Amino acid sequence: MHFPASDLNPEQTYRLMSGIVVPRPIAWISSVNAHGGVNLAPFSCYTFVSNKPPMVGINIGRKAGERKDTARNILANGHFVVNIGDETLLDPLHESAHEHPPEVSEADVLGLSVLPGEVIATPRLAAAPISLECRFHSVTPFGETGAEFFVGEVVMFHIREGLLQDGKIDTELLRPICRIAGPNYASLGPIVTKRGIQQTPKSVLKPEAA
């Protein structure tokens, strides 16, 4: 089967791409709305983009041409939290994708407890095994539908006791949720360990001379 991308409308393209780019990690973002409530929404177009300083990036699309609550809140406040859900949190994570008016707190609707941020004013989910407090860094628009790639600098890591082993997250203990096409999710399944491959150490670039 062959067909040009230009033949697809935005919805058809999304359905196709979301089944091709799999599995995807999920950024469960908490942000603060104009009424002081905690908005909560999952985003699976998510990755990390820098390790010094640590930075994460999330693609946030639009609904009927309008920015989603999360995008508006990030731009208004300059901070947000990326929570990582594990398998025990699949149901509330999925339900938090429901569209509510901006003033409604999904955390309240779902009965999820939050804890105050230590560096930023956005609360994090108490039940999340990992939460990343982020300061807004930049936003870059892409494409014709108004999608925007938001980048945040991680200023505080919250990691559940026992998950950090020798400076690395024990992924098997974390049991993260991943997204595939449609309302479908997957877990890790078997973990295959290969021999380590020597890598050149990461380093900070020296400023170029003027």
Side-chain angles (χ1 to χ4, degrees):
M1 181 180 293
H2 310 275
F3 48 86
S6 57
D7 287 353
L8 304 177
N9 64 35
E11 189 64 27
Q12 291 170 323
T13 304
Y14 175 80
R15 294 181 67 181
L16 181 63
M17 293 292 288
S18 63
I20 292 173
V21 185
V22 291
R24 299 187 305 280
I26 302 170
W28 202 7
I29 298 182
S30 51
S31 61
V32 178
N33 63 36
H35 301 267
V38 179
N39 286 133
L40 188 64
F43 296 89
S44 63
C45 293
Y46 154 64
T47 188
F48 78 92
V49 297
S50 169
N51 57 329
K52 186 64 177 179
M55 304 172 86
V56 293
I58 307 99
N59 182 75
I60 303 180
R62 300 194 183 214
K63 293 290 186 180
E66 299 294 326
R67 281 192 173 110
K68 295 180 180 180
D69 297 340
T70 299
R72 289 199 301 268
N73 295 341
I74 291 173
L75 292 173
N77 299 317
H79 47 76
F80 59 98
V81 175
V82 171
N83 303 280
I84 306 301
D86 61 17
E87 293 174 353
T88 69
L89 295 168
L90 175 57
D91 287 342
L93 184 147
H94 179 68
E95 293 300 320
S96 68
H98 278 289
E99 297 179 20
H100 294 284
E103 67 275 9
V104 172
S105 166
E106 288 83 2
D108 289 344
V109 170
L110 296 168
L112 295 170
S113 298
V114 297
L115 297 171
E118 293 191 18
V119 178
I120 63 173
T122 300
R124 60 188 173 93
L125 289 179
I130 296 176
S131 294
L132 312 176
E133 295 187 28
C134 300
R135 285 201 187 103
F136 171 67
H137 175 272
S138 59
V139 60
T140 304
F142 285 96
E144 301 172 7
T145 63
E148 296 172 309
F149 190 71
F150 282 76
V151 174
E153 178 182 344
V154 181
V155 294
M156 179 64 72
F157 293 88
H158 299 275
I159 301 171
R160 180 181 293 164
E161 289 294 330
L163 287 181
L164 196 62
Q165 307 286 341
D166 297 324
K168 296 182 179 181
I169 298 297
D170 188 322
T171 313
E172 191 168 13
L173 289 177
L174 174 59
R175 307 305 300 172
I177 305 166
C178 67
R179 183 74 186 274
I180 50 181
N184 300 302
Y185 301 83
S187 55
L188 286 179
I191 295 176
V192 178
T193 302
K194 297 288 188 178
R195 67 177 181 86
I197 296 177
Q198 185 65 39
Q199 300 285 323
T200 302
K202 277 65 172 176
S203 60
V204 175
L205 295 176
K206 295 180 181 179
E208 294 184 6

